[in-house]
Amino acid sequence: MTELTKQDRPEHPMVKAEGVRKSYGQVEVLKGIDLEVKQGEVFCLIGPSGSGKSTFLRCINHLEKINGGFLSVDGELVGYRQKGDRLYELKDREVAVKRQDIGMVFQRFNLFPHMTAMQNIIEAPVQVKGESRADARQRAMALLERVGLADKAASYPSQLSGGQQQRVAIARALAMKPKLMLFDEPTSALDPELVGDVLDVMRDLAREGMTMIVVTHEMGFAREVGDALVFMDGGVVVESGHPREVLTNPQHERTRAFLSKVL
Amino acid sequence: MNSPDQGVTKQPARPESIKAVPVRHPGRWAGAVVIVVLIAMLLHALFYNKAFQWDVVGKYLFDSSITNGLVVTLELTALSMVMGLVGGVLLAVMRLSPNPLLSGVAWLYIWIFRGTPVLVQLVFWNFLGALWPTLSIGIPFGPEFWSGSTNTLIPVFTAALLGLGLNEAAYMAEIVRGGIQSVDEGQAEASHALGMSRFTTMRRIVLPQAMRVIIPPTGNETISMLKTTSLVSVIALEELFRAGQNIYSRTFETIPLLITVSLWYLFLTSVLTVGQYYVERYYARGSNRALPPTPIQRIRALFQGRHTPPAPPVVNPGVHGGGNFS
């Protein structure tokens, strides 16, 4: 309640989760997640592997269907439409429309290998939004400049380093002008000396006020850039708060055990 | 670095280049001699055995009935491959569908059409009239609006096309399915996350990448199809082989006509092989850091005075077809 800047905007939260559950067959991966991501916030998710943090991230843009609870993005339910008391599943096309506003960056980059960096970036704006090729190219060039890769527009992903690929992937997500960006361990597959460049781009993005949810192992980044942090373990939120508080003074035993291993 | 020519003073540190007697390979020489003798024998046989009747081969090479048969062969190859490709993509998508009825039907289709000989299928389609003398359009199990004789509705060319095309679809389905499954799942996920629909994702992201895996076997299938069309001679469709047969059954010039026909098949498969090479190159973009030059590019480079062997695969941007990375 101390952050007046966030209170100035009495809008609904960007992401709101209440009792979100997800299971694969018999295995329950998410056992009731409650959290709230405010607009313009950098929200960090940490936790051991298998804790469900990546799964939760994928639920937000409906790459995974939730089995229970309530999940909304920018005030609208994810994957469903509510009419009276009934929920109606959204058609594939309607889900696709909602995904346009949510950018996602993957651990393994997932650039399209048969397209150049430029083609990767303009693909969705041209194919999905029907933007003209010339306009899309112009914006893509600006985005490439922003991530420091203006000279790599004609390169194929196989000709780029991991760090460069990830920065192209960020530019590709930004080309859809999203209101929310999801980062799924964006630096985990990178050589240590390449991590910095990617984090710099993310830092700039945060400074410009982008709402970001970041699943990460980079505690330094979380401490420096994060506005909120959640520690997940075994499919539940164990502890949440401001990154500096949670990381320096964890209240929970499991948080302490985890942090002692990674810090 | 400075050019080594400019340094007049010799560096003592640099060792003399090695002058050694290379290893001799007497076995290679002996083998070469044997092969040269065999080639000489073969050429001698080809030109001195009158039974080959090379003049007859030449006479019929551009004979109108042969070239007409050639056109039928080409039409049949092209149309059945189109049928095979379209049917194959459809069946592959069906087989990968989460709907068990769709995937089951696709499985059954592939099982039947891949499990019986194409020759039998051809004859079967040709005798469809024996099974159903008339074909009709109407409401299933209800009234008929229109009907006609099967034998007039399915002439021999259509029967041949059905036989070859439906059989090919079963093979192409497996090739396409393998291609689609070879594409990393992350690709479709990234595409969906950008808001692209299933259809756009398949068309723009998955299939183009699957093509790299699909193209080489499809090229083989096309070459194989070109030769398989000769099977339709059994249902009396006058394609290339049947045209040759018709002539030699009349003139008894069997061997020269078989050579005439073979020369045409060889020529067509050669053209297809060259086409396949360039199509494969196109779909390999982005997968190799630099594509090796094509044979034509190598020859041109040679004439431009670069007599060094083209060892490092540098794509010369000035040479035709090298604009992949510009």
Side-chain angles (χ1 to χ4, degrees):
Chain A
M1 292 292 146
T2 50
E3 285 172 275
L4 274 168
T5 47
K6 298 271 157 69
Q7 289 291 304
D8 289 342
R9 298 181 291 184
E11 298 148 347
H12 42 72
M14 182 57 88
V15 175
K16 190 175 166 71
E18 284 172 26
V20 168
R21 287 187 294 107
K22 165 77 192 169
S23 36
Y24 296 106
Q26 300 292 317
V27 187
E28 196 164 46
V29 187
L30 300 178
K31 299 170 181 166
I33 302 287
D34 298 291
L35 54 80
E36 210 177 286
V37 180
K38 298 191 192 78
Q39 313 235 5
E41 199 171 49
V42 175
F43 192 96
C44 298
L45 277 169
I46 63 168
S49 64
S51 58
K53 52 197 192 318
S54 283
T55 306
F56 177 70
L57 200 69
R58 293 158 57 82
C59 289
I60 295 173
N61 65 355
H62 208 52
L63 283 178
E64 305 284 352
K65 235 185 231 182
I66 62 174
N67 302 117
F70 169 95
L71 181 61
S72 72
V73 172
D74 206 13
E76 290 178 39
L77 278 183
V78 174
Y80 301 93
R81 184 183 21 210
Q82 196 161 16
K83 248 189 195 172
D85 283 347
R86 274 241 176 100
L87 283 183
Y88 295 88
E89 230 176 288
L90 291 184
K91 291 181 192 137
D92 283 346
R93 205 178 309 138
E94 295 169 306
V95 172
V97 169
K98 294 211 170 175
R99 283 189 184 132
Q100 292 174 22
D101 294 335
I102 307 171
M104 185 159 191
V105 175
F106 299 85
Q107 183 178 354
R108 310 246 8 124
F109 330 132
N110 294 354
L111 287 181
F112 307 134
H114 59 305
M115 298 180 181
T116 61
M118 171 63 79
Q119 288 167 339
N120 261 281
I121 297 171
I122 67 171
E123 179 66 13
V126 170
Q127 293 293 330
V128 178
K129 289 193 170 167
E131 239 177 80
S132 83
R133 226 156 245 284
D135 289 354
R137 278 179 169 277
Q138 212 169 357
R139 286 204 305 116
M141 212 53 225
L143 284 167
L144 278 172
E145 239 156 74
R146 190 163 149 194
V147 299
L149 292 172
D151 54 330
K152 299 291 184 190
S155 300
Y156 283 91
S158 63
Q159 297 164 321
L160 301 173
S161 75
Q164 290 170 334
Q165 287 189 54
Q166 194 60 299
R167 284 184 281 156
V168 172
I170 295 173
R172 177 175 71 174
L174 290 176
M176 291 299 279
K177 298 178 184 157
K179 56 190 175 192
L180 167 67
M181 284 284 283
L182 310 175
F183 291 85
D184 189 2
E185 304 197 24
T187 56
S188 296
L190 297 178
D191 290 339
E193 79 271 20
L194 302 176
V195 169
D197 290 337
V198 172
L199 291 183
D200 283 344
V201 169
M202 291 169 64
R203 209 170 279 131
D204 286 346
L205 206 52
R207 210 170 292 141
E208 288 161 27
M210 175 65 76
T211 313
M212 296 158 65
I213 305 180
V214 188
V215 171
T216 188
H217 294 294
E218 297 290 332
M219 300 305 158
F221 175 83
R223 193 195 309 256
E224 183 202 337
V225 184
D227 298 308
L229 182 140
V230 153
F231 171 71
M232 278 176 73
D233 193 11
V236 292
V237 172
V238 175
E239 188 166 351
S240 62
H242 195 274
R244 262 187 294 272
E245 283 163 31
V246 178
L247 292 176
T248 46
N249 187 21
Q251 299 300 308
H252 212 283
E253 186 49 47
R254 273 146 86 189
T255 320
R256 241 171 274 156
F258 174 73
L259 289 176
S260 72
K261 281 182 208 146
V262 296
L263 281 180
Chain B
M1 286 238 307
N2 288 325
S3 168
D5 310 347
Q6 288 174 331
V8 182
T9 48
K10 284 215 167 172
Q11 291 289 101
R14 193 174 161 180
E16 291 275 319
S17 57
I18 294 169
K19 279 181 193 135
V21 179
V23 176
R24 305 293 181 201
H25 297 284
R28 287 184 193 174
W29 283 101
V33 167
V34 170
I35 285 172
V36 166
V37 169
L38 285 174
I39 289 174
M41 284 167 72
L42 181 72
L43 286 177
H44 181 267
L46 281 177
F47 289 104
Y48 284 89
N49 187 340
K50 292 278 184 276
F52 278 110
Q53 292 179 277
W54 287 102
D55 53 325
V56 179
V57 171
K59 191 177 106 196
Y60 283 114
L61 201 56
F62 296 102
D63 186 87
S64 68
S65 59
I66 291 286
T67 49
N68 285 343
L70 186 73
V71 171
V72 174
T73 290
L74 284 173
E75 282 173 354
L76 212 51
T77 306
L79 290 175
S80 16
M81 278 317 288
V82 168
M83 236 172 115
L85 253 171
V86 172
V89 171
L90 217 66
L91 283 166
V93 172
M94 277 169 75
R95 265 211 81 174
L96 295 171
S97 156
N99 182 335
L101 186 67
L102 284 183
S103 64
V105 166
W107 181 88
L108 196 73
Y109 180 97
I110 293 166
W111 178 65
I112 291 173
F113 280 86
R114 221 169 44 151
T116 54
V118 65
L119 185 57
V120 174
Q121 289 172 32
L122 278 168
V123 179
F124 188 90
W125 285 110
N126 197 38
F127 285 100
L128 200 67
L131 201 54
W132 291 291
T134 59
L135 295 179
S136 58
I137 297 174
I139 295 167
F141 307 108
E144 289 177 4
F145 301 134
W146 181 89
S147 77
S149 156
T150 303
N151 284 335
T152 49
L153 280 174
I154 303 186
V156 70
F157 185 85
T158 314
L161 192 58
L162 283 172
L164 294 175
L166 294 180
N167 181 265
E168 187 57 33
Y171 282 92
M172 285 307 302
E174 291 299 275
I175 292 172
V176 173
R177 185 173 67 105
I180 290 173
Q181 285 181 327
S182 76
V183 178
D184 181 47
E185 273 180 59
Q187 292 291 309
E189 255 173 25
S191 171
H192 289 150
L194 285 164
M196 286 155 80
S197 67
R198 273 168 190 274
F199 181 73
T200 311
T201 299
M202 193 47 101
R203 187 173 60 87
R204 297 285 308 173
I205 308 301
V206 177
L207 278 181
Q209 292 182 58
M211 281 311 239
R212 207 162 55 81
V213 177
I214 293 171
I215 286 290
T218 304
N220 291 345
E221 287 293 313
T222 310
I223 287 170
S224 168
M225 176 61 81
L226 183 79
K227 294 173 294 169
T228 307
T229 53
S230 64
L231 284 183
V232 308
S233 61
V234 299
I235 57 172
L237 178 63
E238 191 162 327
E239 42 65 67
L240 183 55
F241 179 51
R242 180 81 184 190
Q245 274 184 319
N246 283 348
I247 295 172
Y248 72 66
S249 65
R250 208 170 57 233
T251 66
F252 299 105
E253 293 161 323
T254 312
I255 295 293
L257 273 151
L258 288 181
I259 292 174
T260 304
V261 168
S262 300
L263 284 176
W264 272 118
Y265 280 120
L266 210 52
F267 171 72
L268 294 175
T269 49
S270 308
V271 170
L272 287 177
T273 307
V274 172
Q276 183 183 6
Y277 176 81
Y278 281 97
V279 174
E280 274 178 32
R281 262 178 82 85
Y282 175 77
Y283 282 104
R285 72 201 193 283
S287 63
N288 293 17
R289 280 170 194 239
L291 289 168
T294 65
I296 292 174
Q297 287 172 340
R298 279 174 217 254
I299 290 166
R300 284 202 190 175
L302 210 66
F303 279 115
Q304 278 163 9
R306 281 183 31 198
H307 286 283
T308 44
V314 179
V315 177
N316 187 342
V319 179
H320 132 91
N324 290 315
F325 298 113
S326 55

